[in-house]
Each structure stands twice: as structure tokens, then as C-alpha cells.
Amino acid sequence: MTRSTEGVRADYLWDAGQSRSIAEALDPVLAEIREVLGADAAMVVYRPNPAAGDARVLAASTAREVDPLLPNEPLVFGDVLPRHRPQVLVDLDVASTVRELRLRLHSAVTVPWRDAFGAGTVIVGNLARPLPPASERQLQARCTRRVSAAVRCGRREGGRRMGADLRAALSEVADATASSDDAGSALAAILVSARDLFGSEVAYLSLPEYDTETFTFDQVLGIRTAQFRHLRIDLGQGLGGLARSVQRPVRSLDYASDARLHAAPVAETVREGIVSAMAAPLLLDEQVKAVLYIGDRHLHPFSQTDEDLLGEFAGYATLGLKRRAVEQHRSAVVARQERERLAFAVHDNVVRRLLEIGFEAEAAAQRGDEDLRLRMAVIGSAAEQCMDALRGQLTMLTGEHRPRRAAQVLEEITDVQRATGVRRTSELVGARSDDLVAGAVADALVRIGQEALVNAEIHSGCAHEHVVLDLTAGSAALTVEDDGCGLDADALDRVLVGASPHLGVRGMRATATRAGGHLTVGPSPRGGLALRATIPT
């Protein structure tokens, strides 16, 4: 393998990978050129050796009214760019291949240049007016040496950064692997280090389920939606399935429109907001034991360099993993996920029906004679006791008082079965999605939140429910609002009394009290009710 004097692979150097070092070195040069020539846009594009595929943006400077181009973004041009001499082009079309972005430069000057890694072109132009006379000579004089010098400087700095970042990431993984035989901790360290290495918004890891064909997500960072987190990916399916099939890293700049991806979970990925992603298989004894993903909720033009860097990281990161420990962790993950699926299914069906029985018993007791009232009170009390007992067993089944990430708490709340036609939205305030919530607090928040949502759907006839989880240093506050019919003043007073006859409020208040907190109910700005539970952490 050829190596540069900086100790970084030479084929990493043409674009300096994800470090943006070349763009940072070129930005002031292009800004000055654009100012001197009074141009709307100035860019440097590049094709590495061997010249194949689309040209890539190394850097760009544009006027405010022009859509910005991104480092490493692939472009196509309406005319063939000159290879040997500067040239003036008229009506030059510039288009991105990964998004709806198109420029037409009415007048453009192009200056080609070459180096050891490939061929580049400096392009300066205006959208609607000609460039001033002598622009061609001025641009050639300014960019011949300065552009190539800036690119060399950026490559050196980028190579240095990449080498340092890779060594730091692998050191973190090695420390986690050496200090524990727990495969789950080692895989978590790999996930965090990969996310930090690329500065990505999300990272997630999939493991084989019962066979080697179907993989399911185990650990996730920054993931918000339950639908995405519960995906199962078959061999060859989507980005991760493709990475497993070819047993090397793959990238997708625009996941939703990537024609290479077979049976990809596009709807779930779009709902999660992920636009660009990469996936790399983690190999042990030449077998894929996991798939590592990183991604962003904006267009991130990952390059071949990024793909190679992820592959090198994945290869080194797995050296300390022990096959037996990974298998044991996989078995534990599968068992836990099966328990969670069973618990969620039971809660969505049985607990909800018990809650409805309790509500109906309460309503009938208020209308009937004394004998019927007593019988209905017994039915309602039995339903409430069954719910408490069943919820206790479900908590044990899924891991009693298990700490959860803040995003997972919000996900468990909104995961409860919803009525047809009801829309749910949620937001996390005061914390990152990866911040941990203590087990007892998380249990109380989930129970209160789920019951509040079901209660609103049964009683209010709402069409929209909104959940807010606000975490501070000393407390966790959960607010559930709806746009339903609400309650008049007398009914609200009855709900707010200490010994509320309302089954749902009574249960939620008891849960909050047991956790050391309190519950309030009042009118919602959305027109219905707003329920707020505050629990000390």
C-alpha cells in the first residue's frame, strides 16, 4: 500500500476526506477571485486519477442568491470542460447529481490544472451578465499557483487530521475492549467512535437475529422513530443488506432515490429524516457479525475516501472483539427484543381494553341504581387492579427500572396503540436524545404518558396529540396535550380533587406520587386538555 510522508494512505489525499481541509484552504482564495472579477460564483472541481465518474466540488464561493455547493458534491456540466488551456464558455450548465440544484452561468471562465492525484478546473462566472474584459488573463494569473498551493496545503492538513482522528477513534475502541469482556460495551464504543470520527448526526448498529439472513438494530444514537428502530434488514436489502452482500463499506448520498438499493425501507428512513448514510460490515473470522451505520439528516456528499476510511476503522475496530462474546451478546439482544415485542403487544391490546372496561364501568355506575352502581364499582376496581398487576409483570419482562435514553423514553410513550385517524407528535427539550433517564423515572414517565394518550383518545375525540419531555438537572416534566373537546369548569374541578373518581387520572396521579412527583391537569392551548407530570430525578 502506498503511503504519503504524513503516514496516511495516498488515495485518501485527493479530497482530504471528510475533514473539509481543502475547502477551508481554498475558501479565501475563491472569495478574493470572485470579488476581483465581480463574479456570482467561483468553484474548484476535481476528477481524481483515473479520471472516471463525475467531477467533485473541492470548494465553492457563491453570491447570496446562488444556492451553495457542498465540498465533495458530484457535478455534471452541459459542456466539456477544457483540459489544457483556459477557455471562455457561454451558458454553461452546472448540475448536482444528488439533488435538485442547477446553475446556468451566462458567462464563465475556466482554467484547467493538474497534479499527481488528478485533474482540476477553476470555474468563475456570472448568472446574467458577461465577465469584464481580461477576466481570462486575470484568473489564470491568480489561480495558477495559488489554487494548487491551497489544495496542497489542504491535503497535508486533511491527511494529518484524518490520521489523528482515526488513531484517536481506534484508541477509544481499544480501551473499551481491553477494559471489559462485555461485547455490548465494545460495540457501543465502536458506535460512538464512528459517529465522532465522521461528525455524523446518527449512528446505529445491527446484529443477526435468529439466523444470518435477517439483521435487527441493537444500539442506536440519535434515532427518533420507533418504526426505524424496529426495522429488520434481510441480506441484500437496503444499504446495510448491500454492505453485507459485498462485504465492504457502501455509501448513499441520497438514500430515498438511490436506485442501487433493493427493497430499501425508504418510508421509514425518510420519516426518520436520514438523507445520506454509509454502512460497513464488522467481520469476525470472515463472517459478518454486525453492520455499522452512520448518517446525517442533511445532504452529506460522502466520498470514496470516506467509504475507505470507514472500512479501515471497521477493520481495526473488530480486532479486539471475541467471537464467543459477540455471540452471547447477540443471543441476549434477541431475547430482550422478543420480550419487548411481547410486552408491547400485551400492553397495546390487554391493558388498553382493561382501561376501556374501567371507563365504561365508571360511566355506567354514574347512571344506574344503587345495586348496579356497586356492581360497576367492583368491575372498575377489578380492572384497575388487573392493570396494576399486569403492568408490574410487563416492567419485569422488559427489564425493571432499566435506564433508557431520553429518545427511547419518548418513543415508548408514543408507541402505544393509537386510535384510527389520530396524529401524534413529540419533542424532546433540555436534553440530547442520548442522555440517560433513571429506570424508575423512565418507568413512571412511560406509564403516565401512555395512559394519558389512551385516555385522551377514548374521552376527548381528539385528532392530534402532542407529547413534550422536558429534562432538567433536577426533574423530568412530561406534558401531553390534545385538541379534543376538553372539560367544562365543573368537570375539571371534579378531576382535580385529591380523590378523583376518574380512573385514568387516578392511576396517573398514583404513579406520579409513587415516583415522588405530582400531576396537574388543565386546559390546553390546542383546545383540549393538557396533562403535566413532574418527577424529580
Side-chain angles (χ1 to χ4, degrees):
M1 181 185 296
T2 303
R3 291 190 177 271
S4 73
T5 56
E6 295 290 328
V8 177
R9 281 175 47 175
D11 58 344
Y12 281 0
L13 292 177
W14 77 263
D15 66 349
Q18 44 77 35
S19 70
R20 289 185 53 91
S21 295
I22 294 179
E24 291 168 4
L26 280 170
D27 282 344
V29 177
L30 291 181
E32 180 185 327
I33 290 174
R34 193 165 65 82
E35 182 179 357
V36 169
L37 298 183
D40 296 324
M43 68 191 78
V44 178
V45 298
Y46 196 81
R47 280 189 174 90
N49 292 325
D54 300 322
R56 296 266 176 165
V57 177
L58 289 187
S61 174
T62 57
R64 186 172 301 175
E65 64 272 15
V66 181
D67 288 334
L69 297 167
L70 303 176
N72 288 331
E73 185 167 8
L75 300 178
V76 292
F77 298 91
D79 292 327
V80 177
L81 298 181
R83 296 183 179 181
H84 305 292
R85 295 188 304 275
Q87 189 173 333
V88 177
L89 299 176
V90 177
D91 291 336
L92 175 64
D93 286 322
V94 183
S96 171
T97 65
V98 293
R99 58 175 170 150
E100 292 295 326
L101 185 148
R102 183 179 297 274
L103 300 176
R104 168 165 283 194
L105 299 177
H106 171 70
S107 174
V109 174
T110 61
V111 178
W113 56 279
R114 294 192 62 86
D115 61 20
F117 298 101
T121 306
V122 182
I123 303 172
V124 180
N126 280 328
L127 297 177
R129 63 188 189 281
L131 289 168
S135 293
E136 186 177 345
R137 291 196 304 275
Q138 285 182 285
L139 179 59
Q140 185 174 13
R142 286 179 175 274
C143 75
T144 300
R145 288 185 296 274
R146 293 190 63 193
V147 168
S148 57
V151 171
R152 287 196 302 273
C153 179
R155 282 196 180 121
R156 284 195 300 271
E157 175 61 18
R160 187 194 64 78
R161 285 190 195 177
M162 289 173 63
D165 291 348
L166 181 59
R167 287 191 295 273
L170 293 174
S171 177
E172 292 172 1
V173 173
D175 289 345
T177 305
S179 61
S180 172
D181 289 332
D182 178 18
S185 298
L187 290 171
I190 291 174
L191 192 65
V192 172
S193 296
R195 180 193 62 178
D196 293 346
L197 177 62
F198 288 91
S200 297
E201 294 177 78
V202 299
Y204 38 106
L205 192 80
S206 66
L207 296 173
E209 207 168 37
Y210 294 107
D211 53 43
T212 58
E213 294 293 309
T214 303
F215 277 46
T216 182
F217 291 143
D218 169 27
Q219 304 190 45
V220 297
L221 297 174
I223 297 300
R224 302 167 179 167
T225 59
Q227 294 91 338
F228 190 87
R229 187 169 177 267
H230 295 157
L231 283 172
R232 288 177 175 79
I233 305 298
D234 292 329
L235 183 65
Q237 181 186 12
L239 192 66
L242 177 60
R244 286 160 53 201
S245 297
V246 299
Q247 294 204 355
R248 59 174 175 79
V250 292
R251 67 189 188 275
S252 180
L253 307 191
D254 185 359
Y255 189 96
S257 60
D258 195 331
R260 301 170 306 149
L261 304 183
H262 169 69
V266 172
E268 293 84 354
T269 304
V270 170
R271 192 177 296 116
E272 179 59 42
I274 297 172
V275 177
S276 302
M278 293 196 294
L282 300 184
L283 298 167
L284 281 177
D285 300 332
E286 299 183 352
Q287 292 184 336
V288 180
K289 293 299 181 182
V291 177
L292 172 66
Y293 301 77
I294 62 166
D296 288 293
R297 292 189 172 90
H298 60 273
L299 177 64
H300 186 150
F302 293 115
S303 69
Q304 182 63 49
T305 301
D306 298 315
E307 195 176 287
D308 292 343
L309 184 64
L310 181 61
E312 188 163 352
F313 169 81
Y316 283 119
T318 56
L319 291 178
L321 291 177
K322 299 173 179 63
R323 177 177 180 144
R324 182 177 178 182
V326 172
E327 286 296 322
Q328 290 175 340
H329 176 69
R330 182 195 67 80
S331 298
V333 168
V334 170
R336 172 175 56 80
Q337 290 178 337
E338 199 58 40
R339 290 196 304 271
E340 288 180 353
R341 278 195 289 269
L342 174 61
F344 290 145
V346 170
H347 187 280
D348 272 0
N349 291 286
V350 181
V351 174
R352 186 184 179 104
R353 298 297 177 262
L354 285 171
L355 192 59
E356 291 173 346
I357 290 171
F359 287 151
E360 290 300 326
E362 281 183 347
Q366 294 171 8
R367 293 193 299 267
D369 57 27
E370 183 63 19
D371 182 59
L372 178 60
R373 189 186 66 77
L374 292 174
R375 290 175 182 272
M376 287 300 174
V378 171
I379 292 174
S381 177
E384 190 171 3
Q385 292 173 17
C386 285
M387 282 192 297
D388 284 338
L390 187 57
R391 279 193 169 114
Q393 294 299 313
L394 294 179
T395 299
M396 293 178 61
L397 189 63
T398 56
E400 188 172 12
H401 297 334
R402 176 171 50 87
R404 272 97 90 194
R405 296 187 180 96
Q408 185 178 349
V409 172
L410 202 54
E411 174 189 307
E412 288 183 35
I413 292 170
T414 55
D415 247 4
V416 69
Q417 187 183 61
R418 76 183 70 185
T420 303
V422 175
R423 182 170 66 94
R424 284 181 190 157
T425 54
S426 63
E427 61 179 305
L428 181 63
V429 179
R432 297 177 305 176
S433 59
D434 299 335
D435 288 347
L436 286 179
V437 180
V441 176
D443 293 342
L445 292 171
V446 169
R447 175 171 176 177
I448 293 169
Q450 290 181 341
E451 196 151 309
L453 292 173
V454 174
N455 184 57
E457 292 172 12
I458 292 175
H459 285 288
S460 75
C462 63
H464 181 205
E465 299 168 307
H466 186 63
V467 181
V468 180
L469 179 57
D470 187 355
L471 299 178
T472 65
S475 67
L478 176 70
T479 303
V480 180
E481 298 180 343
D482 66 73
D483 62 353
C485 60
L487 293 174
D488 59 35
D490 291 340
L492 187 57
D493 286 341
R494 290 195 296 272
V495 167
L496 294 176
V497 297
S500 172
H502 193 285
L503 173 65
V505 174
R506 192 165 63 239
M508 289 183 281
R509 179 172 288 147
T511 300
T513 302
R514 282 196 297 270
H518 62 276
L519 184 83
T520 60
V521 182
S524 165
R526 300 173 185 273
L529 284 184
L531 180 145
R532 182 177 177 86
T534 303
I535 298 174
T537 55

